[in-house]
Every structure is written in C-alpha cells, then in structure tokens.
Amino acid sequence: RIEINKYPKLTEVGSRRKEKDGLIYSGYYSKEEIKEIVQYAGSRFITVVPEIEMPGHCLASLAAYPENSCTGGPFEVTNKWGVFDDVYCAGKDSVFYFLQNILDEVIELFPGEYIHIGGDEVPKDRWKTCPKCQSRIIEEGLKDEEELQSYFIKRISKYLNSKGRTVIGWDEILQGGLAPGTIVESWQGMQGALEAARLKHYAICSPYVYTYLSNDIEDLDLRLTYLYEPIPAELPAVDKKYILGGEASLWTEETLQNEVDEKLFPRLLALSEVFWTNPPNRNYEKFHSRVKKNYIYLTQAGIMYGQEARAISFSSSYIDEEKEFIVTVTPGQEEIKIHYTKDGSEPDNTSAVYNAPLKINKPLRLKLSAFLNNNFTGKKINLLFGLHMAVGAKLFLANKYDDLYKACGNETLVDGILGSDDFHDGLWQGFHGVDFEAVVDLGADKIINEVIPGFFSDSNSWIFLPVNVEISLSQDGINYSNVNVIENNIPLDNRDVFIKNFKVSYNNQKARYVKVMAKSIKTCPPWHKGAGEKAWLFIDEIEVK
Ligand SMILES: [Zn+2]
C-alpha cells in the first residue's frame, strides 16, 4: 500500500483489514517514506521496481473504489491471502483512467526504468458475465476473456511506454498475446521464460520451486537453491541474451516477521552467486566454504540466519531375524550435533551424541535433538518404538494414502514407530476424503490380545477422528469374525490437538489377518471453515499385541 493523493480511500480503506479476532491491522508507505527507500537503495546502486497489481489481486483497491469492479461491490479488504474472483472491470474506460492516474503518481516516486504490473492469477469469472466486458470483447474483435486480459495489459503497457517506462509482468501476461516490449517474469516454472525468448521478449526467471525464499528449508535447502540454473538449458544459444536474470522472492504473507532473517539467509547468498556468476565458475563445495565465513559477518550485522537444510532427518528399518530396528539419523549440516536419549527425557547438550546408526530391540521412546554451537536449534524428532506383532508384517490398503502425507509409504502403519503430537513428523499417514480400510497379514496364525489403531485429531487442520472403527479377525483372509465396532465418543467440534487410540481387546484369539476399517466423515462439517471440502483422516500405526 502506498499513498496516492488523487485516491485517498486507497489508504484510508484499502490499507485497513479486520483480523479474525476483530482487531484492525493497518499500514501503508507515505510518499516521503517511499522517497527515502528509493534514495537509500539508489545510493547502493539498487533500483527499486514497484509492482502495481492488475487486473487481479486488487480486492483492497476495489473495497475502496467498488465502482471499478464488474459488479459494483461492496467488498471488504480480506484478511487472507489468495486469489479472488473480483478483479478490475476491463469494459469500463474509467478503470483505465483510474489506473493511469495512479501510475502517474507511481512514476514520480520511482525514477527507474521498470514498472511491474503483476498480471498474474486473474480469474475470468466476472468478465464472462459482465455486459461491459462482453461489449469490449465484441468492439475490439477479441476472441475470448484471455484476449481481454491481453487487451488490458497492452493498453496499460502502451500508456507506460508513452511515459518512457518498460513493463514487467508475471508469466500470465502471455495469455492472449504479449504486449510489445514487455518483460515476462516466469514464476510458475521456466516455460514462461522459454516462450518469451521464443517471441524475442526479455524474461526474468524466478520459478517458485527454487527462488521463493518463503519456502520452508525442508522443501528448498541451501544446496538445491545453489543448483538452480536461471538460463534454461533448452534455450538456443542465440536466445540466451533474452534472459535478463532472476529474482528471489520472500512473500511475507507466508512468513512471520521473526522468520524473515532465517528464510532469507543463507539461501540469499546462494541465489546471489547463481545470478551473478557464470555457470563454469559455480561450485557448491567452494561456495559452501565461503558461506561459513559469511556467518561471522551476518552475526555481526545482527542477522539471525537460518539452517542450511532440515536439521534432522531419519530413516528406520526393521531387521526381522535380529528383532531390532536400525535407525539412521542425518544432520542437516556438519556443524549440527545430534544428542539423544532413550529414557523419555528431553536431550540436552550433555546427552549421548549420535555418531553411528542406533540399534533398538525393545519398546522405548527415542528423542533426538539438534544442537548448533551447543545451543538447541528447536528442531527435534521424537520416535516411539513399539515392538508389536505387526511390525514388518504385510499391509494391504483398500484406499491409497494421499501423497502429501505419505509418511514412510506402504510400511508406515506397521513400522513399529508411533506418531508424535506433530502431524508433520513424517510418521502420520493422511487419507483425504476417503474411508480407511487395511488388512494386516501376520504371515501365520498368532495369538492376539489387542489391536490398537491410533488416529489424530486436529479440526483446525481439517484432520478429524473417524466416525467409528471396525476391527475383525480372520484365519483364512476370507471369512472375518470377532467383529468389534468402536464408536467415536468425542464431539467433532473439539478443537484440541490429540491422539486417540481405538483399542479392541481379545482373549487369546487365534488369527493371521487383522482388518481395520475406519469410517471417515469425508467432508468437513457445515460449521467448519472448510465446510464441504474433503476432510483428512490421519493414522500412524496398527499395533497388534
Ligand atoms: Zn466488467
């Protein structure tokens, strides 16, 4: 949000939003503040490029001036980030005059050559039903709403060109045809840049997978960031000149203020080198040794830089003959020391140090914590080993787990490791909008006294307990008996985060096959924020004793 003299409601209305707790959150840059930023950057040879979003991502502007929409509103400034159906009306000339007047004031504030006009994530729903937008399509001989978007961008680009400015837009500005002279910023992947270069347009490469520093370190570690190549290999040599460079983005709607430093550093150092160094001169190991030295400067500058990779990751395998687990732990970087305990206590920097795979041959709780310079990093893993009869057994699932929460894959529910109270811990498996049904094959008849499937409840994260769980036993895998149904007695609207075991007890029952069916609520209930959307069912283990 910046101050625009001609349209005071942009900041009076558009810069204020009501949070869920009813409090007002507001803020904007005054013209004096913008001038100060531009000057501060300029004295360090940095050009600040403003991005004035259009024709989408403009709900706050429409809340201030609803007449610029297709429907006339009213609208509220949203307190969530996302893509919204209401966008600027492309059929009203007054919308273009409004934007041109804003751009006039923006141009005065930013002396650089470039103005970014967004152009990304524009739903076309409103345009399809708006008489003015439809008249524009007919009058201008446009094919469809995609060409109407192109008309919008071309008209604004022409205006900015007449003021001596060059326009940048996200790769969606390719839709319906590029405006002459515009620069494409490729965020969805490298395809937009390739297409731009083919059309002899300049491009900036900032694919979200490699350059969005709001990504978690689990998804984008330092090495992966450094391996990014901003000039697509498939680009013909003569067209390489069309790649101007890249951009690292930190989206603060996805980043809390206290996470900004750790998300930017050290990954920004990697992208700086990638963007400014010829490929033959890039070498991760050499770069990495220089990063170490940079930590001293970052510390002196008071920058709370983050980790280079996920602080701890683990893998576990069960050796049937030995009746033991082998647990391998990998620290995210060499300076990280892993301390662990097996007695349930929290590890500190005097606890045992991990330096070789651990053997575990009895039920216990293994706690591993990552330390950097003797300080706890806040990253830990808590593994509860249960040596029950189903560990290492064959498991058949009627409905597949969702790839987003696959945990350790097919063996997860019989790997002997119970999930913690963090459903992201890699031990919980998620089923999306479907019932859960599994058959455990113990390999031979066994004497069974207990079957204990564990489920997770966190309605805020759309994870609900099953309606009921049915457990039955079989010796031949065809005929099941000893059917027990356990109803869930906890109200769905319970907001607590907890684990619930649906335990069934038997009296020395002989069986080879154990069937567990959990009935999902499938969709989030009407009172829930995700009403009608698919609900999650999370399970970590089927213990058989
Ligand atoms: Zn319209």
Side-chain angles (χ1 to χ4, degrees):
R1 311 283 183 264
I2 63 174
E3 183 182 17
I4 299 293
N5 296 342
K6 199 168 174 65
Y7 301 110
K9 282 195 277 180
L10 284 175
T11 41
E12 284 165 16
V13 175
S15 78
R16 294 163 62 82
R17 65 171 191 249
K18 194 191 266 180
E19 293 291 16
K20 283 192 193 102
D21 55 12
L23 294 175
I24 300 291
Y25 182 92
S26 68
Y28 64 89
Y29 289 103
S30 69
K31 289 200 161 173
E32 288 313 305
E33 286 166 332
I34 294 285
K35 283 178 195 159
E36 193 188 333
I37 291 166
V38 168
Q39 202 217 347
Y40 181 90
S43 65
R44 287 156 181 80
F45 310 103
I46 293 167
T47 303
V48 180
V49 178
E51 180 179 348
I52 309 297
E53 271 280 355
M54 64 188 79
H57 282 306
C58 60
L59 197 53
S61 167
L62 295 180
Y65 297 96
E67 61 271 26
N68 292 327
S69 69
C70 289
T71 65
F75 308 103
E76 210 178 312
V77 180
T78 177
N79 58 19
K80 312 182 279 225
W81 62 276
V83 176
F84 303 102
D85 286 344
D86 288 290
V87 300
Y88 289 124
C89 179
K92 295 176 185 168
D93 285 327
S94 56
V95 167
F96 292 92
Y97 302 139
F98 170 80
L99 290 169
Q100 286 167 10
N101 288 333
I102 290 172
L103 289 168
D104 284 346
E105 294 192 34
V106 169
I107 284 168
E108 261 180 51
L109 288 170
F110 297 90
E113 179 191 344
Y114 304 102
I115 305 278
H116 201 309
I117 58 168
D120 59 311
E121 300 181 314
V122 187
K124 309 293 191 293
D125 309 56
R126 295 289 180 264
W127 290 357
K128 280 180 185 157
T129 55
C130 169
K132 288 205 164 71
C133 285
Q134 291 304 311
S135 308
R136 175 85 73 195
I137 288 178
I138 294 164
E139 281 160 25
E140 296 291 331
L142 306 173
K143 199 172 81 203
D144 53 15
E145 288 73 21
E146 296 234 320
E147 288 199 356
L148 185 57
Q149 152 125 347
S150 174
Y151 166 87
F152 199 111
I153 300 292
K154 280 177 181 158
R155 186 163 165 176
I156 292 290
S157 297
K158 206 170 161 189
Y159 183 77
L160 284 167
N161 294 157
S162 77
K163 303 278 171 182
R165 299 306 174 99
T166 302
V167 168
I168 306 172
W170 298 106
D171 39 359
E172 288 96 328
I173 66 166
L174 284 156
Q175 292 171 4
L178 267 184
T182 46
I183 296 170
V184 174
E185 180 160 11
S186 198
W187 73 273
Q188 303 185 68
M190 297 298 272
Q191 215 46 47
L194 284 168
E195 181 63 8
R198 197 180 62 78
L199 298 166
K200 312 292 175 209
H201 277 249
Y202 288 103
I204 300 166
C205 296
S206 47
Y208 70 94
V209 173
Y210 294 99
T211 67
Y212 278 18
L213 298 184
S214 17
N215 289 341
D216 289 331
I217 198 74
E218 281 80 1
D219 300 322
L220 179 62
D221 64 19
L222 186 66
R223 180 183 288 271
L224 188 62
T225 314
Y226 192 85
L227 293 181
Y228 171 54
E229 175 47 66
I231 298 177
E234 54 269 61
L235 194 65
V238 290
D239 286 342
K240 290 194 171 151
K241 61 172 186 275
Y242 289 112
I243 306 299
L244 291 178
E247 182 190 57
S249 306
L250 182 90
W251 302 103
T252 48
E253 66 267 39
E254 296 178 329
T255 309
L256 296 173
Q257 188 60 45
N258 61 7
E259 297 169 346
V260 167
D261 281 7
E262 68 186 63
K263 288 204 162 184
L264 281 176
F265 294 98
R267 292 182 292 185
L268 194 57
L269 302 175
L271 283 179
S272 304
E273 185 153 317
V274 166
F275 292 153
W276 277 304
T277 310
N278 272 329
N281 297 332
R282 281 186 227 142
N283 175 302
Y284 181 74
E285 269 60 45
K286 283 185 184 163
F287 161 75
H288 192 230
S289 67
R290 278 179 282 112
V291 166
K292 304 279 161 205
K293 291 173 193 157
N294 270 286
Y295 288 146
I296 300 164
Y297 302 120
L298 291 174
T299 303
Q300 281 169 359
I303 291 170
M304 306 290 287
Y305 59 90
Q307 305 297 320
E308 295 175 3
R310 181 193 286 264
I312 319 181
S313 48
F314 77 94
S315 65
S316 164
S317 55
Y318 181 69
I319 313 295
D320 208 16
E321 303 85 68
E322 313 286 333
K323 299 276 177 257
E324 68 183 14
F325 297 96
I326 307 289
V327 182
T328 308
V329 182
T330 315
Q333 60 195 72
E334 57 192 83
E335 292 80 4
I336 286 183
K337 222 191 248 184
I338 309 285
H339 291 276
Y340 69 91
T341 62
K342 290 178 171 178
D343 61 3
S345 65
E346 286 305 321
D348 59 26
N349 57 17
T350 63
S351 308
V353 177
Y354 175 90
N355 46 29
L358 301 171
K359 291 180 178 180
I360 290 175
N361 53 19
K362 59 176 192 231
L364 58 79
R365 195 179 283 278
L366 177 65
K367 289 189 170 186
L368 302 130
S369 293
F371 288 77
L372 193 59
N373 304 325
N374 271 329
N375 295 316
F376 178 46
T377 59
K379 305 291 178 188
K380 55 183 177 179
I381 297 183
N382 181 350
L383 302 174
L384 182 58
F385 289 88
L387 261 176
H388 55 88
M389 282 192 285
V391 175
K394 283 203 192 80
L395 181 96
F396 303 94
L397 291 171
N399 296 312
K400 198 172 179 279
Y401 46 83
D402 192 274
D403 275 339
L404 213 52
Y405 292 100
K406 61 181 176 192
C408 308
N410 280 326
E411 288 78 42
T412 301
L413 304 182
V414 285
D415 66 358
I417 312 175
L418 304 186
S420 70
D421 55 6
D422 170 12
F423 70 83
H424 287 110
D425 64 5
L427 298 165
W428 287 97
Q429 199 164 64
F431 295 79
H432 207 195
V434 293
D435 291 328
F436 172 83
E437 183 180 335
V439 172
V440 180
D441 177 1
L442 300 170
D445 277 345
K446 299 276 168 75
I447 302 299
I448 295 173
N449 282 299
E450 279 177 349
V451 177
I452 316 167
F455 291 89
F456 201 82
S457 184
D458 181 1
S459 63
N460 268 328
S461 303
W462 307 30
I463 303 169
F464 295 88
L465 291 175
V467 179
N468 60 45
V469 177
E470 183 185 308
I471 295 171
S472 52
L473 305 177
S474 169
Q475 284 182 278
D476 59 8
I478 299 162
N479 303 302
Y480 282 84
S481 57
N482 295 97
V483 182
N484 280 276
V485 180
I486 313 137
E487 297 294 333
N488 174 30
N489 52 9
I490 296 170
L492 278 184
D493 58 356
N494 186 310
R495 302 285 173 134
D496 298 337
V497 176
F498 60 96
I499 298 166
K500 180 171 166 62
N501 291 327
F502 286 73
K503 176 170 136 179
V504 168
S505 297
Y506 293 99
N507 189 10
N508 292 325
Q509 196 66 45
K510 197 197 271 184
R512 172 174 167 176
Y513 299 92
V514 178
K515 189 190 276 185
V516 177
M517 299 198 300
K519 196 172 159 54
S520 166
I521 66 163
K522 293 196 180 72
T523 53
C524 299
W527 51 266
H528 189 263
K529 60 186 170 182
E533 302 283 335
K534 283 184 190 175
W536 287 99
L537 191 69
F538 269 51
I539 176 167
D540 65 334
E541 187 81 0
I542 299 173
E543 289 183 89
V544 181
K545 293 178 177 173

